[in-house]
Amino acid sequence: QDLVPPEGTEFLIMRAVIITAYGGPENLVLEEVPAPVPRAGHVLVEVEATGLNFRDVIERRGGYPGQRRPPVRTGVEGAGTVTATAPGTTEPAVGDRVMWANAPGSHAELAEVPAAATLPVPAWLDPVDAAAVCSQGLTAHYLANSLGSIAPGDTALVWAAAGGVGRLLTQLLAAKGARVIAATSSEAKAQAARDAGAERAVLYPDVKAAVDEVTEGAGSR
């Protein structure tokens, strides 16, 4: 969102990816636009890396609920360094490295991000990895910790276990001591799931047999 800057100041100019019309990738253009001014409760972040997930494709095609009509900036997730904060916003502070999963307009050099929606980026985590893992990582964390209770020794079936969310979920469940049965579409993906900590990794047609074997018939009832 472009806002009028405080009196006596000028807009910063930045580059951002714009959807000019709903449709294919040919409707994405890189343009120079005014940078956002952080509103109350927001911070301005210099974007070092930004994510690209299926939501971005849906928005480009015009199929995401509630989205604005083009032209509109693309992207919702990323990682970078806070360069400015709105008055009264103290966390995160200027200079902090953060990542986020839902701030429209993130395919840009600068992004306005709700302060409460930022997560700190640890020193050991590269910004590219932070931008890539944030949205899928939050989803996997919710499934592993909030959707239900997983205790050591429990058995969990992870569908599409070699995908972004699936592989992270497999790692989280395995770290909690769960016995993970990973379902995938190819042997190469099955091996990736094993590498992520799955006890068993099978192709989709073999899921029921694997569940019956691991749970001694209890899991498929």
Side-chain angles (χ1 to χ4, degrees):
Q1 180 178 358
D2 298 331
L3 302 178
V4 176
E7 185 176 353
T9 64
E10 296 181 356
F11 271 129
L12 294 173
I13 299 299
M14 67 173 187
R15 292 178 298 173
V17 179
I18 308 294
I19 301 174
T20 59
Y22 293 144
E26 68 276 4
N27 293 328
L28 299 176
V29 298
L30 184 65
E31 293 186 354
E32 288 191 343
V33 298
V37 175
R39 295 165 290 175
H42 290 66
V43 296
L44 190 66
V45 182
E46 182 178 0
V47 179
E48 297 177 53
T50 184
L52 181 65
N53 277 306
F54 191 52
R55 171 176 170 175
D56 301 292
V57 177
I58 295 173
E59 289 189 346
R60 190 198 71 215
R61 294 172 177 171
Y64 198 81
Q67 70 182 97
R68 294 185 295 162
R69 301 289 302 177
V72 64
R73 298 179 191 174
T74 67
V76 295
E77 59 186 313
T81 302
V82 177
T83 61
T85 64
T89 300
T90 59
E91 294 275 342
V94 172
D96 287 349
R97 300 172 69 236
V98 297
M99 56 183 173
W100 62 93
N102 189 19
S106 290
H107 290 167
E109 292 179 302
L110 295 165
E112 183 194 22
V113 184
T118 62
L119 294 169
V121 177
W124 52 264
L125 185 60
D126 182 272
V128 172
D129 293 332
V133 78
C134 191
S135 179
Q136 294 177 344
L138 288 171
T139 303
H141 186 275
Y142 165 76
L143 294 172
N145 296 284
S146 300
L147 186 62
S149 177
I150 297 292
D154 286 349
T155 301
L157 171 64
V158 177
W159 213 258
V165 172
R167 198 178 306 192
L168 289 168
L169 180 57
T170 297
Q171 291 175 310
L172 290 173
L173 293 173
K176 291 168 72 72
R179 306 176 66 190
V180 179
I181 303 171
T184 68
S185 61
S186 70
E187 179 53 41
K189 292 181 178 180
Q191 185 58 52
R194 295 186 195 99
D195 293 342
E199 179 178 311
R200 290 284 301 275
V202 296
L203 305 186
Y204 294 127
D206 303 320
V207 168
K208 184 180 184 303
V211 170
D212 285 342
E213 180 180 343
V214 172
T215 66
E216 297 181 349
S220 61
R221 291 202 296 264

